[in-house]
Amino acid sequence: MTAEIEPTANTPWVRVRATVEALVRPTSERERERRRIVALCLPFLTLLSVSGIVPLAEMLRMSVSEKRLVTAGFTLFHYEQLVTDPYYRTIAFNTLWFAVATTVASVAVAIPVAHALEKYELPGKPILLTVLSFPNSLPGIVAAFMIIVLLGNTGIVTNVFAVLSGRAPTELATATGVAGLFFAYLYSMIPRALLLLRGTYAEVNTDAEEAARSLGATPFETFRYVTFQQIKPGVIGAVILVFRTALAIFGTILILKSLLVWTLQINRELGAGNGFNIAGASAMATVWFACVFGFTLLAIRYTSAEVSI
Amino acid sequence: MAGRFRGRSLSARFGRPFVLFVFGLALLFLTLPVVLTFAGSFATQWVGPLPSGPPTLDHWEDVTMGTEVGADVAVGSSLIYSAGLAFGGVLINLVVGVPIAYAIARYDFVGRDWVNVFAILPLAPGIILGIAFLRSYPNLSTSGVALVIGYSLLKAPYMVMAVQSSFQSMDLQQLEESARSLGASWPRAFLTVIVPNAKAGIVAGSIISWTLAAAEFNFSYIVYSRGTPPLSIFLFNNITNASFLNAAAAVSVFFLLIALVTISLQLVGTRGARRRA
C-alpha cells in the first residue's frame, strides 16, 4: 500500500494560489462575492496592520531588547523584574484593587441612575440625558481637574465640610489623595456605565414587572427578581467596559499622582529619572496589553454581554 | 394582596426617594464642577468655595492669545492643529470604516465574528499604542503623521459602530440587488446607492471620531515630541503649569468645543449612533 500524495492537488501552496487566482479573476458569482468581501475588509486590515499589529510587534521586540537606544539582543530581564521585584508587584496589586473598587462603585451608582432615567417621570429628560453623557467626551486630565474643583483646597465640597466641621479646608482637601483619585475615576466611569445600562433598560419587559407587583412583590423584590434579571447582560457588559477603562486610565493619574498604578509607572519608566527605560516600559506595556486583551476576549466569549466601547 | 395588608414594605416607602437621591447626587457630581469651572473662567479670583470678583475676560484672553508664563502657547494654534490631525484621522476612518461596516452587515463569511470584534473593539488603549509607536515610527511622530494614523486606529470602532447602526436599519440585499438589476456595476451600486443611504450614520460617526481624536490625550502625550502641541497637550500644560483660573479658561474652551459637537450631533439626529458611541 503506498499512500501516494498527488503533487498537483491539495498541497497548501496550490490551494493558496488557486484562492488568490479566484480572488483576482473570479469566474463564478460566489467567487465575485468573495472578492467583494476581501476588497471591503482590506482597507481596515491594512490600517490594523500598519498602526496596530506592526507597532505592537515592535513593542514586544523592544521589551526583550538588551540595549536601550536600539532594539538589539534578547533578554528576559525586564519580565523577570516585573515578577520578582516587590516594587512592581505592589504596583500590579494597586492597579487591580483600585480598578475593582472603582468598577463596583461606578456600576452601583449607574444602576439607580439608569433606573430613575428609564422608570421615573423626570422633568427635562432630554437635557438630563445630554448633561449626563457630557463627561463621556472629557479626557482624563479634565476629569482630574473637575475633582480638583470639587475636592481641592478651594474645592466646593471641601469648603462645605470645612464649614460644617470647623476645620481648615487645607486639612480636608482630598483631591490629591487616594479618595480624590477614586472620585476622579468615577467621574470618567459612571457616564460610561450609564450609557450601556440605559440601552439595556430600554428593552426591559414592563409587563413582567407589573405582573410581579400585582402578585404582591415589593418594589425591591420586583427589581431584584424581575428587572435585574433582565438587565443582567447590560450590567455584565458595563462591568467589563468599566473595568477595562479603569485599567487604562492614564491622564487622570498623571495629574493627581496619588497612587502608583501600572500606567503611571509605564510613563515613569520613560522619564529622565529612569534613564528612558523604554525596554522596561515596553515590557510593562506588553504585560498590560496581554492581560486586558485576553480579559476582553474571554469576556466576549463567555458572556452574551454586548460590549460596547 | 396579602402584602398590601402587612403594611408598606421598606422599599415601597424608601425605594423611590433613595433612587432619586442617588440620581441627584450623581447629577450634581457630574455637572457641578463643569458649571463652576466655566463660571470660574470669568472670575477675578477663586480663593474661597466659589469663584468671585467682578467678571473679567482676562483668563480667556490669556488662553486665546497666549501668555509668557506657564503654558505660553495660544489655544488657537493648538486647536487648529488638533482639528487638522483629527480631520485626517476621520478621512482614514471613512475609507476603512464604511466598507468594513458594510461587509459585516451585508455578507456572511468565514471569520465574520472575529472581523467584527476587531472592528468595533479598540485594539489597544492610547498609552500602549503610543509606546508601540515610539520606535516603530520615530520619524513620523514630529510631523504629526504618526498622530493621524494612531488616532485613526484608536477611533475607528466609533465610526464602524455608527455606520453599522445605519446599515442595520436598511434591507441591504434588496437595495444592492435593485441597483444591480437596474444596470449599476457593483462598485457603482456601493458608492452611489448604498453609501449615500447610510449618510446619517456616516456623519454621526465622523463627528464622534473627530471629537474623540481631537481630545485624545494618552496617545498624544507619549508620541508628541515637539512643535505645536495638540489640544489635549495644551490642556495638560495649562492644568499643570498655569494659574488655576487660566486652567479653568483653557478647560472651558474645551467645554465649548464639546457642546458644539453635542449640538451638531443632535442636529444630525442619529439617536441610534449616539447611544452606542
Side-chain angles (χ1 to χ4, degrees):
Chain A
M1 242 345 245
T2 51
E4 202 172 299
I5 300 163
E6 284 275 313
T8 48
N10 286 332
T11 60
W13 170 240
V14 172
R15 286 217 315 259
V16 167
R17 219 173 65 180
T19 313
V20 171
E21 204 150 282
L23 281 177
V24 179
R25 272 187 298 278
T27 48
S28 64
E29 181 56 30
R30 196 183 148 74
E31 283 175 357
R32 272 189 219 106
E33 187 178 294
R34 211 176 280 160
R35 179 171 71 170
R36 279 171 211 148
I37 294 168
V38 170
L40 288 168
C41 293
L42 209 57
F44 181 83
L45 297 179
T46 311
L47 176 72
L48 187 68
S49 323
V50 170
S51 71
I53 295 166
V54 169
L56 288 172
E58 176 67 27
M59 182 174 87
L60 187 65
R61 278 185 47 211
M62 286 194 290
S63 70
V64 291
S65 170
E66 285 170 3
K67 301 238 167 67
R68 186 164 57 91
L69 295 173
V70 286
T71 309
F74 180 85
T75 170
L76 286 176
F77 168 75
H78 299 287
Y79 288 99
E80 258 177 58
Q81 202 179 21
L82 292 181
V83 178
T84 53
D85 193 334
Y87 175 75
Y88 289 102
R89 281 212 299 265
T90 310
I91 298 172
F93 178 69
N94 284 348
T95 313
L96 288 177
W97 81 257
F98 205 64
V100 169
T102 49
T103 302
V104 170
S106 56
V107 174
V109 173
I111 292 174
V113 175
H115 191 90
L117 278 172
E118 293 297 323
K119 299 279 172 213
Y120 300 169
E121 293 288 326
L122 299 173
K125 202 176 266 184
I127 298 169
L128 288 179
L129 288 178
T130 310
V131 165
L132 285 172
S133 56
F134 189 79
N136 261 326
S137 311
L138 300 177
I141 46 170
V142 175
F145 189 78
M146 299 291 96
I147 295 309
I148 297 174
V149 168
L150 284 179
L151 303 173
N153 284 340
T154 61
I156 183 144
V157 176
T158 314
N159 277 277
V160 168
F161 279 107
V163 170
L164 292 178
S165 68
R167 289 164 66 191
T170 41
E171 278 176 49
L172 295 168
T174 50
T176 49
V178 176
L181 188 70
F182 184 80
F183 286 110
Y185 270 51
L186 292 196
Y187 197 89
S188 303
M189 288 152 68
I190 291 173
R192 266 162 237 261
L194 190 59
L195 205 67
L196 214 96
L197 283 173
R198 270 191 51 228
T200 327
Y201 249 107
E203 288 157 18
V204 168
N205 176 3
T206 46
D207 292 347
E209 290 174 332
E210 275 165 28
R213 287 308 305 278
S214 66
L215 288 171
T218 66
F220 182 72
E221 283 165 354
T222 311
F223 173 77
R224 192 177 155 199
Y225 295 108
V226 182
T227 317
F228 187 75
Q229 301 307 318
Q230 294 189 56
I231 62 165
K232 224 185 214 167
V235 174
I236 295 170
V239 166
I240 294 170
L241 166 75
V242 166
F243 186 68
R244 272 175 59 100
T245 310
L247 292 177
I249 284 179
F250 171 60
T252 313
I253 185 84
L254 193 62
I255 288 180
L256 297 177
K257 288 195 181 76
S258 42
L259 187 72
L260 197 47
V261 295
W262 207 255
T263 49
L264 184 60
Q265 182 62 28
I266 289 178
N267 182 53
R268 287 195 176 175
E269 298 288 338
L270 291 175
N274 284 299
F276 190 63
N277 180 14
I278 192 170
S282 295
M284 293 189 76
T286 306
V287 168
W288 192 102
F289 174 74
C291 289
V292 173
F293 197 70
F295 163 74
T296 311
L297 287 187
L298 277 181
I300 292 176
R301 179 78 181 73
Y302 290 106
T303 67
S304 55
E306 179 202 1
V307 181
S308 182
I309 303 298
Chain B
M1 285 307 277
R4 296 269 167 97
F5 293 113
R6 253 189 275 133
R8 280 159 49 106
S9 70
L10 274 179
S11 66
R13 249 184 299 168
F14 300 112
R16 185 176 284 248
F18 170 76
V19 169
L20 284 175
F21 176 72
V22 175
F23 179 82
L25 220 54
L27 188 69
L28 207 62
F29 172 62
L30 293 174
T31 54
L32 186 65
V34 175
V35 175
L36 280 177
T37 304
F38 194 70
S41 68
F42 297 103
T44 29
Q45 55 174 348
W46 195 346
V47 285
L50 290 171
S52 56
T56 168
L57 286 174
D58 284 357
H59 316 296
W60 281 79
E61 216 176 289
D62 285 347
V63 168
T64 44
M65 304 297 176
T67 55
E68 295 307 311
V69 289
D72 57 349
V73 201
V75 70
S77 50
S78 277
L79 198 58
I80 292 167
Y81 184 56
S82 268
L85 293 179
F87 186 68
V90 168
L91 287 184
I92 298 179
N93 278 344
L94 284 173
V95 174
V96 306
V98 179
I100 201 161
Y102 185 68
I104 295 164
R106 164 71 178 85
Y107 298 107
D108 206 5
F109 52 93
V110 183
R112 192 181 81 154
D113 291 344
W114 283 105
V115 172
N116 191 26
V117 164
F118 277 96
I120 62 167
L121 210 74
L123 182 68
I127 176 171
I128 302 301
L129 203 63
I131 304 258
F133 265 54
L134 280 181
R135 208 166 269 164
S136 311
Y137 305 117
N139 302 319
L140 295 180
S141 58
T142 43
S143 67
V145 176
L147 290 174
V148 171
I149 57 172
Y151 290 164
S152 58
L153 181 69
L154 287 169
K155 309 308 170 197
Y158 298 91
M159 177 69 86
V160 175
M161 284 197 298
V163 178
Q164 256 181 6
S165 75
S166 253
F167 279 146
Q168 272 157 11
S169 61
M170 309 189 305
D171 187 347
L172 294 172
Q173 190 165 354
Q174 199 189 18
L175 201 67
E176 189 186 304
E177 276 164 13
S178 314
R180 303 279 326 263
S181 68
L182 290 170
S185 64
W186 187 84
R188 187 163 165 201
F190 178 69
L191 290 174
T192 62
V193 178
I194 288 155
V195 170
N197 261 295
K199 202 172 74 186
I202 292 172
V203 173
S206 304
I207 296 175
I208 294 163
S209 62
W210 183 87
T211 325
L212 295 173
E216 173 64 35
F217 172 74
N218 301 0
F219 179 73
S220 316
Y221 181 78
I222 302 282
V223 172
Y224 163 76
S225 53
R226 59 179 172 274
T228 315
L231 184 62
S232 55
I233 306 292
F234 168 85
L235 275 178
F236 178 73
N237 291 340
N238 266 281
I239 292 172
T240 48
N241 297 333
S243 78
F244 193 57
L245 290 175
N246 271 11
V251 172
S252 298
V253 171
F254 192 76
F255 288 161
L256 288 184
L257 186 74
I258 301 292
L260 208 69
V261 168
T262 310
I263 292 168
S264 39
L265 269 178
Q266 266 163 2
L267 290 179
V268 176
T270 48
R271 288 175 48 216
R274 274 176 55 228
R275 185 178 74 74
R276 303 204 65 191

